[in-house]
Amino acid sequence: MMRYLLLAAAASAFQQHAVTKPSVAMRGAFSEPDFCDGLPGALPPTGAWDPLGFTVGKDSGEIRRYREAETQHGRVAMLAVVGFLVAESYHPLFSDVTGPAIDHLTQVRKEYPAFFEIGALFIGLLEVNRALQGWAFPSSRRVANTLKDDYYPGDVGFDPLGLKPSDPEAFDAMVTRELQHGRLAMLAAAGFIAQELTNHKTIIETLKLLVLLDETELDKNLGLDLPSGDVATLDAEIFSPAKDTFGMGGN
């Protein structure tokens, strides 16, 4: 349920004036000096990949703000992907919350409304902390929505396990890994949501049906005797929406 509250949390609106480029120490083998203000995250084979030109003509402050948004959305998406798979198999907080994860928030709001409000308050506190850590207070209506000069995008000071490297190159490598996992997670979370809206089955259930379908294709092509079922039946099962008991769509 918390993944949906995290997805619903608004980005902070407190921010700053003049913004300088990240120091040379912040740049390493995972960046290109002339792309994205030299921030790490550019890897082969794509390299400086910006087909829509979001960073073209943007100053350092704007690019760093984009990176802040990308990093935070990637973190939320990674939590969401894990939340989908865990909560649909076993909900650690509410044993009576079942079915596709896209329905869990509705169920919790109906059964435990106080928990929803407490969760929203907790997320609000986290966002205020992020605003105080990274965003400069606007000096005027025209000078707003900027990061502090000494703030590295995404570094909110939360590192309870001490994983942040002190070596600049190792730091760039870790930042790049986080970005790549976050980018993949954003695509995966979007795919999970789209799939559940389509057939209203849990992700695990859909994956099991796809595995059975693959085994049936093997059976047909190689003459193996796999206990799977016929392709037409499995195909219909995958794409037929399950009954929706919480008003979220489906048949």
Side-chain angles (χ1 to χ4, degrees), residues 99-210:
I102 57 172
D103 284 352
H104 288 186
L105 180 59
T106 301
Q107 296 179 53
V108 171
R109 292 185 67 180
K110 286 183 177 180
E111 301 296 330
Y112 310 97
F115 182 84
F116 178 81
E117 304 299 334
I118 293 171
L121 177 62
F122 177 70
I123 291 168
L125 293 174
L126 292 178
E127 287 298 296
V128 168
N129 174 69
R130 185 163 73 93
L132 294 175
Q133 289 281 342
W135 301 90
F137 193 84
S139 58
S140 68
R141 289 186 178 181
R142 293 184 179 181
V143 185
N145 201 33
T146 53
L147 296 172
K148 292 179 179 178
D149 292 340
D150 59 352
Y151 175 72
Y152 189 89
D155 188 0
V156 295
F158 181 76
D159 185 22
L161 299 180
L163 299 177
K164 180 182 175 181
S166 56
D167 177 68
E169 190 164 331
F171 177 76
D172 278 3
M174 179 171 281
V175 168
T176 301
R177 285 195 294 269
E178 182 184 27
L179 281 168
Q180 296 299 327
H181 283 84
R183 291 162 179 168
L184 178 61
M186 285 187 278
L187 292 173
F192 284 4
I193 294 169
Q195 182 61 51
E196 292 196 354
L197 286 171
T198 300
N199 66 359
H200 214 78
K201 302 181 192 302
T202 66
I203 296 301
I204 297 296
E205 183 181 358
T206 299
L207 288 174
K208 286 179 180 178
L209 289 169
L210 288 172

Side-chain angles (χ1 to χ4, degrees), residues 100 102-103 196-201 236-251:
I102 57 172
D103 284 352
E196 292 196 354
L197 286 171
T198 300
N199 66 359
H200 214 78
K201 302 181 192 302
E237 177 65 18
I238 290 172
F239 296 105
S240 61
K243 183 179 180 180
D244 177 12
T245 56
F246 294 96
M248 300 292 290
N251 297 331

